[in-house]
Amino acid sequence: KFNDGEFQVIKFLDQDGPFAIYKQHFLSQITSGKRSFVSLGANDPLCVKLGSKPEDKKAFTVANLSAPGGPQRQMLIASPRLYKSLHAAHFSPAGPLTKNYWAISRTGKMQSTVYHINPVKPRDLAEDWGITDEEAIEKAIAAMVPFERSAIKEPTWEELEAVAASLS
């Protein structure tokens, strides 16, 4: 998650783009607030029974250098708006995404959300971002294994049927 206006410095680890592309439903549930469910296709129970339209998602493996305690392997789940900005950065002169570190922040809410994506060269980590010990960071990142598609939990058809029944 990106806090409003707060930059996070990350490094993309997936060499061939996002490790998972899928659709996700966001539903309001009375007892637990908003919940999300991975869609099982255009005819899944949430689409058919509730008329829910899932949103496109693209999942990336990143090393978050801004995480407390040093670099951490994390999933970056990109909405269409964030992915559009990432795509532009990937094909910019500073790209591809795996080449540099990137400082990413978000401003605004809902339809006015804007993502700011700036390339960060390794030599600028300490001076501009206060991230020191580049050698230790590189070793930590080299040891990180990108996520696989199986890391995205897909519900069963029966689970989606039960959710649809509870909300209809």
Side-chain angles (χ1 to χ4, degrees):
K1 291 250 182 214
F2 294 100
N3 295 325
D4 201 26
E6 182 180 308
F7 276 97
Q8 291 186 37
V9 178
I10 64 172
K11 173 108 175 135
F12 287 87
L13 303 180
D14 303 298
Q15 294 299 314
D16 299 320
F19 71 86
I21 298 172
Y22 60 99
K23 291 183 177 285
Q24 189 169 25
H25 294 279
F26 290 94
L27 304 172
S28 293
Q29 294 188 299
I30 295 168
T31 58
S32 59
K34 275 203 178 253
R35 291 218 29 221
S36 63
F37 302 91
V38 172
S39 176
L40 298 178
N43 294 323
D44 79 23
L46 302 181
C47 294
V48 173
K49 294 183 177 179
L50 301 178
S52 175
K53 293 188 185 333
E55 182 179 68
D56 290 333
K57 297 290 181 181
K58 293 180 175 59
F60 294 88
T61 307
V62 298
N64 185 346
L65 279 60
S66 301
Q72 293 181 7
R73 180 182 78 146
Q74 297 178 345
M75 281 187 214
L76 172 65
I77 309 297
S79 64
R81 189 178 301 257
L82 174 54
Y83 182 72
K84 185 176 180 181
S85 297
L86 292 173
H87 187 269
H90 181 74
F91 290 103
S92 73
L97 290 175
T98 54
K99 177 180 171 185
N100 289 308
Y101 297 97
W102 298 87
I104 302 178
S105 73
R106 173 188 60 85
T107 56
K109 293 192 184 304
M110 300 181 73
Q111 297 304 319
S112 65
T113 300
V114 176
Y115 290 94
H116 308 278
I117 303 172
N118 303 315
V120 177
K121 294 190 179 194
R123 68 173 186 254
D124 297 331
L125 286 174
E127 186 177 326
D128 295 346
W129 300 97
I131 299 170
T132 57
D133 201 357
E134 184 182 336
E135 188 176 317
I137 289 169
E138 284 301 319
K139 282 182 184 176
I141 290 171
M144 293 179 188
V145 177
F147 288 103
E148 295 181 1
R149 176 65 174 91
S150 60
I152 304 296
K153 183 193 175 301
E154 287 189 17
T156 64
W157 194 270
E158 292 75 24
E159 288 171 331
L160 292 185
E161 285 277 356
V163 170
S166 74
L167 294 175
S168 56

